[in-house]
Amino acid sequence: MRFENIVFERGHELRFRYESVVSQPLHWKNAITILWLLSGELKIMMETESYTIREGEIEVINSDEMYALQGSKGNRVIVLEVRPEFFQKYYEEAADLFYYTNLPDDDIWDLRYEELRRFIATLLFEYTQELDDKEEQMDQTLLEMMYHLLNHFHYLYYDEESLKEDETERDRFHRIIKYLYHNYDSKVSLQDLADAEFLSAPYLSTQMKEYFGQSFTDYLNQIRCEESTKLLLDSDRNITQIALEVGFSHVRYYNKHFKLHYGISPKEYRERYSMELSEYREKTEVSELDLQDALAEVEGYLWDYERYSSDRSIRRINLDLSAEAVEGVLRSKMIYIDRPGLLLETEGQALLTEAIREIGFQTVLIDQFFTQEMGIQSKLDPEQISWRRVEKSLDFLLSLGLTPLILHGRREQGIVQAFQQYFTGRFSKEEMELWLDTKRGKASKKTLATRGNPLFDTMAMVPYLFHQWLLKKDNQIFALVDSPEMGRSLSSDTFIGGNGIFTMNGLKKPLYFAHQLMRMAKGKIHSIGEGFVLLKNRRGYSLLLYNPRGIDEQGEIIPGMGEIRYSVNLRHLNQTYRVFSYTLNSKHGSIYDLWRKMGSPEKMDRSLIELFKVCRPGIDGNEAKPEPVYNILAHIPKDGCLLVQFEELNGSESAV
């Protein structure tokens, strides 16, 4: 017997297995089966097709669909089996849906497949844990996954490009195919179908040929042949009985179409693939693996799932507040401007003013300062020089308490000398030499993040900045505002992978807030370790927790993985403190993640930009009274961070 009757645990709508598959002969199940190959290769034989999936790929096998497997040695595959009746409770057509994956032109890492992997990983986590509301959470996630399959891997939508945008035609052909699968064993005519759809028979015949590549009769007979294979392998009926049972009028007609479809006769098919149950079991080589190992393999898809936690991901930190601070840390002091005209624009001035107030930059590295943009030389008369725009820019910078560091080259020496002559008396010689320091300017520009990188828009920059800061490496300099020249993509008017702390339309990137938190973390280093630093200052302490998985040993930016749980014990908290907590992660302070959730619009209008401006780090507060041990339990998602500030209260403040 080749039919596998899946028995689901009471209250469960699914079942998971983790296996290494060498071989499994032709069989079928009463379940939708999803295979996610984590390593190795797996050859799948289904009907007349044979193809191989490789590491990372996913295959969906529909309920009652016959298939066989052959795998490479040591492969590992997650097997998810779903009760077909589950989705029928929510979507009445569910019983007649077919799902396809892995078409030749598919990018297996596109968002559709990544979202499917996330659903499977979440279900596996819930399946292997004993948490509150387990069944409810599994049903909710499973329902979302089934709608994802419906919307992105439904056979008519997924396989027939011409039907994707034509909902009327798609619904029509779904009805037709549903009818054929339910009535293939009866007398079915093209005219009856055409009448039911209010179409002419010739028109319907042409449409079926166009969409499915074969005539109505051939398509119907293909269904009959496919359904007959189960009877050939799982019953003792003779060939004539099977032919009549699946709807053929004569066994010769059945033999003809079966051979066209499978290349061999029904008799040969039965002789080749038929086997007793004992032989089937003998030829099945499947090793069961530990589901917890599978969960460890896919934890990268669980980092933003709020119920995900693991003892392995808890980091316990014990800090004695009575110890003295030992050393200071570098501060980010320089910002880069590649288009000095920003210094004369109202919006540019507002962005820089805000950055100085909230981040505290002290120096502005300015490029293209002695170019036509500043209107120094007249286009009509190059000998005529005007310093009006330059002077206004310098006045603005100095009013903010900033020191300009002006980049210039040999070709600009004449302009530089004229600049010094003109401003002699207004500024000291020492000031201007400091501003025009070629050696310092070149050295600073070498640390500029010049290459466009998509990660510059994302939360991945947060652990990267903290890594550079805490290891006292040369701090990388970023621009004030993105510019197309420094970006990598112009498919969006906001996210171009530029090196600015603001986007081109003035939105604060996670880069901005990371710099801001670095400034807020005041004091000298008290304790430091992987993913944390405690700073001590005159009024209290600053504790920064972050997820260090977003960087490699050289400090290069790489994608992070997994949530980290911190349990921090602060010993000898001998006074009362006002405590402020600032959360920066994909949900709080990341306009990029908000943009992705809203469908990644190419253009953002003014109303959307204003909405995005309220995207900031989360803030919370409380009071901490003297305790022998004060505990902080924090969940830090991928690339996220938490800054906890303790500000000492005097007696009168605490009493109030």
Side-chain angles (χ1 to χ4, degrees), residues 300-331:
Y301 291 93
L302 295 167
W303 65 268
D304 61 348
Y305 185 51
E306 60 184 12
R307 287 166 61 88
Y308 172 65
S309 62
S310 166
D311 288 341
R312 291 173 297 178
S313 62
I314 295 178
R315 296 188 179 181
R316 297 172 178 84
I317 302 171
N318 295 304
L319 302 174
D320 186 350
L321 298 182
S322 63
E324 292 297 319
V326 292
E327 58 181 326
V329 294
L330 290 177
R331 299 291 174 182

Side-chain angles (χ1 to χ4, degrees), residues 401-634:
L402 291 168
T403 299
L405 181 56
I406 304 169
L407 296 168
H408 57 91
R410 291 181 180 179
R411 290 183 297 178
E412 298 166 314
Q413 286 306 307
I415 294 292
V416 170
Q417 291 174 4
F419 167 81
Q420 291 173 309
Q421 290 173 3
Y422 181 82
F423 286 103
T424 298
R426 171 83 193 275
F427 306 116
S428 69
K429 179 181 178 182
E430 290 75 16
E431 279 182 303
M432 289 190 285
E433 286 180 348
L434 179 65
W435 300 348
L436 297 167
D437 188 336
T438 303
K439 184 176 180 181
R440 182 165 168 251
K442 288 181 177 179
S444 298
K445 192 168 184 180
K446 284 183 180 179
T447 66
L448 177 66
T450 55
R451 294 178 59 191
N453 189 329
L455 293 179
F456 285 172
D457 294 324
T458 73
M459 283 296 303
M461 296 305 298
V462 174
Y464 174 75
L465 250 62
F466 293 159
H467 180 79
Q468 298 290 96
W469 172 47
L470 295 174
L471 292 185
K472 296 188 175 181
K473 295 197 172 187
D474 291 335
N475 283 352
Q476 196 165 38
I477 299 171
F478 291 89
L480 179 68
V481 182
D482 283 344
S483 65
E485 292 77 14
M486 294 295 183
R488 176 173 291 188
S489 168
L490 286 179
S491 60
S492 164
D493 66 353
T494 301
F495 299 103
I496 63 171
N499 62 352
I501 60 174
F502 286 97
T503 64
M504 291 189 297
N505 44 22
L507 295 173
K508 295 175 181 177
K509 296 158 67 172
L511 261 174
Y512 181 98
F513 295 121
H515 279 93
Q516 185 181 19
L517 294 184
M518 283 165 55
R519 186 198 187 192
M520 293 169 63
K522 302 173 182 177
K524 292 185 177 181
I525 293 178
H526 175 284
S527 305
I528 189 171
E530 185 182 19
F532 81 93
V533 62
L534 178 67
L535 302 167
K536 186 174 184 179
N537 57 64
R538 290 187 300 106
R539 292 290 308 274
Y541 300 89
S542 293
L543 174 65
L544 178 67
L545 302 172
Y546 66 99
N547 190 329
R549 300 186 186 186
I551 50 179
D552 63 16
E553 293 179 355
Q554 288 72 41
E556 296 299 320
I557 311 168
I558 59 173
M561 288 181 63
E563 178 186 80
I564 297 178
R565 296 177 67 202
Y566 285 96
S567 178
V568 183
N569 294 317
L570 300 178
R571 301 182 183 278
H572 301 115
L573 190 74
N574 296 327
Q575 301 181 56
T576 300
Y577 291 90
R578 179 184 291 122
V579 182
F580 293 100
S581 301
Y582 302 90
T583 302
L584 177 59
N585 55 40
S586 62
K587 296 180 180 178
H588 302 283
S590 175
I591 56 171
Y592 179 79
D593 287 282
L594 179 59
W595 173 73
R596 288 285 299 272
K597 289 178 182 177
M598 297 185 71
S600 307
E602 289 187 13
K603 296 187 180 298
M604 294 179 63
D605 58 28
R606 177 51 55 184
S607 62
L608 202 55
I609 291 172
E610 291 301 317
L611 174 65
F612 272 52
K613 284 183 178 179
V614 303
C615 182
R616 301 182 64 87
I619 183 170
D620 198 4
N622 65 288
E623 187 177 80
K625 295 185 178 298
E627 293 178 349
V629 179
Y630 183 85
N631 178 260
I632 298 173
L633 184 63

Side-chain angles (χ1 to χ4, degrees), residues 324-349:
E324 292 297 319
V326 292
E327 58 181 326
V329 294
L330 290 177
R331 299 291 174 182
S332 183
K333 299 178 180 180
M334 188 175 292
I335 192 72
Y336 173 73
I337 292 178
D338 67 334
R339 192 172 67 82
L342 281 172
L343 301 173
L344 300 171
E345 299 171 2
T346 302
E347 186 175 352
Q349 290 180 346

Side-chain angles (χ1 to χ4, degrees), residues 189-359:
S189 74
L190 177 64
Q191 187 63 57
D192 290 341
L193 279 178
D195 291 342
E197 293 295 329
F198 303 101
L199 301 172
S200 70
Y203 176 79
L204 180 57
S205 178
T206 301
Q207 292 296 95
M208 291 196 69
K209 184 81 172 178
E210 178 183 345
Y211 290 135
F212 300 132
Q214 54 189 323
S215 68
F216 162 78
T217 301
D218 289 341
Y219 190 79
L220 174 61
N221 288 330
Q222 175 183 310
I223 294 173
R224 289 167 168 165
C225 289
E226 290 173 354
E227 292 300 318
S228 74
T229 56
K230 300 182 182 72
L231 296 174
L232 288 170
L233 300 183
D234 205 30
S235 77
D236 57 3
R237 297 177 181 84
N238 62 45
I239 303 299
T240 299
Q241 289 174 321
I242 291 174
L244 296 174
E245 189 167 332
V246 297
F248 284 103
S249 58
H250 197 283
V251 68
R252 292 172 60 186
Y253 197 39
Y254 169 50
N255 282 324
K256 172 187 174 183
H257 281 278
F258 194 96
K259 196 163 187 177
L260 285 172
H261 191 55
Y262 289 98
I264 55 178
S265 69
K267 182 175 182 294
E268 291 170 320
Y269 186 92
R270 171 175 270 177
E271 291 173 349
R272 181 179 298 183
Y273 296 113
S274 183
M275 61 182 69
E276 296 295 328
L277 181 58
S278 58
E279 185 183 0
Y280 171 76
R281 289 174 175 170
E282 184 180 331
K283 290 187 176 181
T284 298
E285 294 184 53
V286 178
S287 303
E288 191 167 341
L289 306 175
D290 190 340
L291 277 175
Q292 291 295 337
D293 292 338
L295 184 62
E297 292 259 8
V298 302
E299 72 163 352
Y301 291 93
L302 295 167
W303 65 268
D304 61 348
Y305 185 51
E306 60 184 12
R307 287 166 61 88
Y308 172 65
S309 62
S310 166
D311 288 341
R312 291 173 297 178
S313 62
I314 295 178
R315 296 188 179 181
R316 297 172 178 84
I317 302 171
N318 295 304
L319 302 174
D320 186 350
L321 298 182
S322 63
E324 292 297 319
V326 292
E327 58 181 326
V329 294
L330 290 177
R331 299 291 174 182
S332 183
K333 299 178 180 180
M334 188 175 292
I335 192 72
Y336 173 73
I337 292 178
D338 67 334
R339 192 172 67 82
L342 281 172
L343 301 173
L344 300 171
E345 299 171 2
T346 302
E347 186 175 352
Q349 290 180 346
L351 296 181
L352 182 57
T353 301
E354 189 171 15
I356 300 307
R357 184 178 69 251
E358 296 189 340
I359 299 175

Side-chain angles (χ1 to χ4, degrees), residues 374-378 381-388 390 414-419 421-422:
M374 297 303 287
I376 297 173
Q377 290 178 303
S378 169
D381 184 3
E383 298 298 322
Q384 184 179 349
I385 296 178
S386 171
W387 297 105
R388 184 177 60 84
V390 169
I415 294 292
V416 170
Q417 291 174 4
F419 167 81
Q421 290 173 3
Y422 181 82

